[in-house]
Amino acid sequence: MAEDHDDDENGHDESALTRLVHSGRDAGEQFGFVNPPVVRGSTVLFPDVASLTSGDARYTYGRHGSPTIRLLEEALAELEGGACTRLAPSGLAAISAALLAFVEAGDHVLVTDSVYRPTRRFCDRVLKRLGVETEYYDPVIGKGIEALMRENTRLVFTESPGSQSFEMQDIPAIAAAAHERGAWVLTDNTWATPLYFKPFDHGVDVSIQAATKYIVGHSDAMLGAMTANARAADRVKAIHTDFGLCPGPEDCYLALRGMRTMGVRLERHQQAGLEIARWLSGRPEVSRVLHPGLPEHPGHAIWQRDYTGASGLFSVILHPASREAVAAMLDGLKLFGLGFSWGGFESLVVPFDPSSYRSATTWNPEGPALRFHIGLEDVDDLKKDLAAGFERLNAYRG
Ligand SMILES: *Cc1c(COP(=O)(O)O)cnc(C)c1O
C-alpha cells in the first residue's frame, strides 16, 4: 500500500502511518513517559482572579476539555486533515450532534438510503419533530443529486460504502452539487477510516468517525468524533459545547492507544478481508460478494479512484437458503462471533435485512445476506471455520 504523504493544515508532511505513532502525545509534558496520563477531573483551579476571568486559560472546566481529550482531538484532526475535531461518547452521538449543528425548522436534508440505521432513526424521529424534512436518496445517485436539491436543502449526508450493503458513493460529485446550492456535506467515514479515505480532499465539510470501531480497535470502548473543515469548524465547536459532549478520559486514552497500531491493524484487516472475500466468491453457496475492493463490485471504479484501501468489513449474498439453515451455519462457528459492531481485533458475522426500512431503493437480494468483519486471526483458520459452517448449511438443506 502506498503511504500517502500529505502536507496537512498542521504543516506535517510525514506519512499518515508515521503521524499515527507520533501525534497526540508530548513526552516533554508527560514527565518523559511515552504515553500521556489519563487526566480525570471536573474542576480546574486557577492561580488567581486575573487568570480566572481572563478567558484565555487552556483548560477551564472538565466538560470543556482536558489534556487527554485535547490530545486525541488534535491527533484525529491531523489524521483526517481537518481544521478541528470534537469528541462524543459514541459514534451515533457524533452523528446526531453533527446533523443538529446545521439544521433548523423548515430545512430539508438529503440522506443516503444506505445510511447506518440508527442515523436514519434519528432523522425520522428527532429531525422530524424539529420540523426538518429528511429525504432519502439512492446511494449511487452521484451527480444526479442535483435534481433533488431544493431551496431549503441544508445538507447532504453520505456514508460510503454503506456498512451493510456496500454501495460506493461518488462523494466528489455529490459534494460539488451540494456546494453549488450552498448545502453542507457530511460523511460517516467509519468504514474507510481517515487512513483510506481523505474526506476533505473529496469535498466533505464534516467527517464523522464511530471511533468505537477501528480507532479504538479492541472492542473495549465507545467513542465518536466529528472533524470539520475551517468553514464548518465553528458550527461543530458550538454544538459540541451546547450539548456538553464529553467522553470519559479512559476511553479517550484507549482511542489514542488504539491509534498507534491502527496502520498495521488495517493493513492486515484489508489483506485478510480481501483474501476471504475472494475465497467466498468461489464458494458454491455464495451468490455475490459485496466488497468494493473486488473488481466485480459495481462501485470498484470509485473505490479505486477515491480510496487508498479497504477495511475488513464486507457482505455476501448467499444462494437461497432457509433461515434455519443459515442459523445452523452461524450457530456452530467457533472463531466468528455473532455480534453487532466491528473494527475490533476479532472476526464477526451478522445476518442482515434492510428491506423493511429502505425507502429510495429496494433491497430484494436473491438469498440471505451476511455481513462479515474479518479480524486478525490466521486466515486459514477462518476459512476452515467458514467451510465447516457451509457444510452445516448444506447438511440442513439435505
Ligand atoms: C457503529 C457505527 C456507528 C455508530 O457508532 P457507535 O459508537 O456504536 O454509536 C455509526 N456509523 C457506522 C457506519 C457504524 O458502523
Side-chain angles (χ1 to χ4, degrees):
M1 176 122 348
E3 298 180 15
D4 57 320
H5 291 254
D6 51 359
D7 202 355
D8 65 27
E9 298 188 10
N10 300 318
H12 298 290
D13 62 357
E14 290 151 338
S15 153
L17 294 181
T18 301
R19 298 310 308 159
L20 275 177
V21 173
H22 286 274
S23 60
R25 60 192 183 85
D26 181 353
E29 295 205 356
Q30 298 158 192
F31 311 100
F33 283 87
V34 168
N35 288 294
V38 175
V39 177
R40 308 188 147 279
S42 51
T43 300
V44 176
L45 299 175
F46 297 85
D48 49 37
V49 172
S51 39
L52 186 138
T53 52
S54 71
D56 55 16
R58 196 169 184 194
Y59 302 108
T60 54
Y61 180 51
R63 199 180 64 227
H64 300 310
S66 69
T68 317
I69 289 174
R70 178 183 56 85
L71 288 170
L72 179 59
E73 286 176 344
E74 288 177 359
L76 289 177
E78 189 184 326
L79 197 60
E80 294 251 25
C84 79
T85 295
R86 287 295 181 270
L87 302 174
S90 71
L92 183 60
I95 292 167
S96 310
L99 284 163
L100 286 176
F102 297 99
V103 295
E104 58 190 49
D107 282 351
H108 170 248
V109 301
L110 287 165
V111 175
T112 176
D113 208 24
S114 55
V115 78
Y116 181 62
R117 193 183 185 186
T119 304
R120 189 176 192 111
R121 267 200 302 253
F122 177 80
C123 295
D124 294 345
R125 292 206 289 232
V126 180
L127 291 190
K128 186 174 181 203
R129 187 147 44 77
L130 298 178
V132 176
E133 183 189 350
T134 301
E135 180 178 347
Y136 295 96
Y137 65 87
D138 184 339
V140 302
I141 197 168
K143 188 175 185 305
I145 197 127
E146 275 169 358
L148 301 181
M149 301 293 304
R150 303 182 195 165
E151 277 302 297
N152 60 341
T153 305
R154 185 70 53 203
L155 65 86
V156 180
F157 193 95
T158 60
E159 181 180 324
S160 181
S163 68
Q164 289 185 320
S165 44
F166 292 89
E167 298 92 339
M168 293 301 294
Q169 298 201 258
D170 189 342
I171 292 182
I174 290 172
H179 289 153
E180 175 90 6
R181 304 293 295 267
W184 300 92
V185 179
L186 278 61
T187 201
D188 181 334
N189 195 28
T190 304
W191 180 85
T193 83
L195 284 183
Y196 292 159
F197 182 71
K198 293 284 180 208
F200 303 104
D201 292 347
H202 295 89
V204 168
D205 298 303
V206 178
S207 173
I208 297 143
Q209 280 290 327
T212 307
K213 309 289 164 61
Y214 285 116
I215 293 170
V216 166
H218 294 71
S219 308
D220 52 4
M222 305 291 302
L223 201 67
M226 305 176 268
T227 302
N229 61 13
R231 210 163 63 88
D234 285 347
R235 299 278 193 130
V236 164
K237 287 178 185 168
I239 200 78
H240 172 267
T241 301
D242 294 342
F243 270 120
L245 296 172
C246 50
E250 303 279 352
D251 294 341
C252 294
Y253 179 84
L254 288 172
L256 278 165
R257 180 156 119 160
M259 257 182 42
R260 307 301 173 205
T261 56
M262 190 172 143
V264 285
R265 280 189 289 111
L266 273 169
E267 260 173 48
R268 170 73 184 174
H269 285 298
Q270 162 162 250
Q271 271 171 15
L274 277 165
E275 186 175 337
I276 292 191
R278 284 192 203 103
W279 177 80
L280 283 167
S281 64
R283 288 289 313 191
E285 298 84 356
V286 172
S287 169
R288 285 183 286 148
V289 177
L290 312 179
H291 188 309
L294 297 187
E296 61 269 28
H297 188 274
H300 183 66
I302 288 179
W303 178 78
Q304 270 194 317
R305 185 192 67 189
D306 295 345
Y307 293 66
T308 54
S311 59
L313 190 79
F314 65 89
S315 294
V316 303
I317 310 294
L318 300 175
H319 288 301
S322 69
R323 193 187 265 274
E324 294 76 14
V326 173
M329 172 186 175
L330 300 187
D331 287 350
L333 291 171
K334 293 191 168 60
L335 300 178
F336 283 83
L338 275 175
F340 299 106
S341 197
W342 42 278
F345 49 76
E346 80 286 16
S347 291
L348 296 169
V349 61
V350 274
F352 69 94
D353 177 11
S355 57
S356 67
Y357 50 86
R358 288 243 173 169
S359 58
T361 53
T362 4
W363 176 259
N364 186 21
E366 58 278 21
L370 301 176
R371 185 183 73 181
F372 290 98
H373 179 253
I374 306 304
L376 305 177
E377 300 93 335
D378 180 81
V379 173
D380 289 333
D381 289 340
L382 293 177
K383 284 183 191 166
K384 274 184 216 149
D385 199 25
L386 292 174
F390 283 126
E391 275 176 37
R392 287 188 298 276
L393 179 93
N394 293 326
Y396 200 94
R397 276 177 181 162

